[in-house]
Structures are given as structure tokens and as C-alpha cells.
Amino acid sequence: MNRSLCFTLIEVLVAAMILFMVVSTALMSYQTALKGSVSAGNFLEMAQVIDPARKHIKEQLNDELNSSNESQYQGSFAVAGVEVSWQAKRIKAAAPPERFDPDELTFSQYKDRFFLYQVELTLTHQKLSRTFSYDELIWLERVEVAS
């Protein structure tokens, strides 16, 4: 028999099918990587404000605590296009340790000065919203002796 050097129709179809599968797999991988890249970029834009937001919240808690002694605080503000809302709940309060007064031969006891708060921080940027939780230690500026 005399065999020609051309490809048969079935060989061409099989090769085309393999090529189509490779191209479609590569395209799906590219789309997934692109979505992941956009999502990571949005998260990084949002995450870069965590440190300034924590500092702002600590300042607000400190100001509020020194003006009023509440057990819960909340607030919201915006940093670099990211909406920040927070709630702080007091989980522990403590006084400085007793101090011995050698002139009066007694121990001085103090009022609560140190306060530990559980802070729930919610960051919202575009359609992405993340909630973070952390503890923040705040203290009064002056020590008061308990009566």
C-alpha cells in the first residue's frame, strides 16, 4: 500500500482537541490568578490602615477614659478611603500594687488605673469588609488613692 505523508482527519481533530484543552486550562488559570491579584490588592489597601487606625483608636480610648469612666466605647472614621468602625468593651480593670508608707506605717491602696479593652475593628473598602479583634491596654494619667 501506498501511504501518504499527510495527517488524517482524526489526527487533526485529536490534535485540535488537545490544543483547545491546553489553551482553555491556561486561560482559566490566568483568570483565577487575576482575580486573586485584585483581591490581594484590595486587601493590602485595606490592611495598610490597620496601624494608623489602632493608633487613632488608642488615642480616642485614652481621651475618653480620662474624661469619663465608661465600660464601652465606639466610633468610626475614614483613613485613606477605608471606612473604619470600632467597638471597645472593657474586659479587665486593675489598680497599681499597694505601696507601703513608712511614715504612717500603713499600705496605700489605689483606685483602678489600668484598663484592658477588647476592640472589634471593622474595615470596609469598596465591597470588601474585614473584622479584626485585638486587646488594647489603656491607663489613666494620674494615680488616685482609694479612700
Side-chain angles (χ1 to χ4, degrees):
M1 248 193 217
N2 196 5
R3 184 160 172 107
S4 67
L5 298 175
C6 298
F7 294 109
T8 64
L9 180 60
I10 293 182
E11 292 173 332
V12 170
L13 289 176
V14 168
M17 190 62 126
I18 292 172
L19 181 64
F20 174 74
M21 290 175 15
V22 168
V23 168
S24 66
T25 302
L27 184 61
M28 289 174 51
S29 297
Y30 176 74
Q31 287 176 337
T32 303
L34 187 61
K35 284 180 185 178
S37 177
V38 168
S39 177
N42 288 340
F43 179 75
L44 286 177
E45 285 180 22
M46 193 169 50
Q48 72 183 356
V49 303
I50 291 175
D51 194 45
R54 286 188 65 209
K55 288 178 183 176
H56 182 76
I57 291 168
K58 185 170 186 158
E59 288 173 6
Q60 281 189 318
L61 280 173
N62 218 349
D63 292 344
E64 292 288 335
L65 184 61
N66 283 302
S67 64
S68 69
N69 195 358
E70 299 290 325
S71 63
Q72 290 188 350
Y73 298 103
Q74 63 183 7
S76 62
F77 55 93
V79 178
V82 177
E83 292 293 321
V84 179
S85 61
W86 60 275
Q87 294 179 351
K89 179 180 175 185
R90 184 183 302 163
I91 55 176
K92 191 171 184 179
E98 295 179 341
R99 184 172 174 196
F100 183 70
D101 186 356
D103 295 332
E104 296 184 20
L105 298 175
T106 60
F107 285 94
S108 297
Q109 293 183 344
Y110 300 101
K111 292 182 179 179
D112 287 343
R113 180 179 183 206
F114 305 104
F115 301 93
L116 185 64
Y117 286 90
Q118 174 74 41
V119 179
E120 294 287 329
L121 174 67
T122 303
L123 304 176
T124 306
H125 179 65
Q126 295 174 353
K127 294 179 181 178
L128 186 62
S129 181
R130 293 282 170 102
T131 301
F132 301 93
S133 180
Y134 67 95
D135 294 340
E136 189 70 65
L137 179 64
I138 307 294
W139 55 89
L140 293 173
E141 293 174 0
R142 60 183 179 272
V143 178
E144 296 181 19
V145 177
S147 37

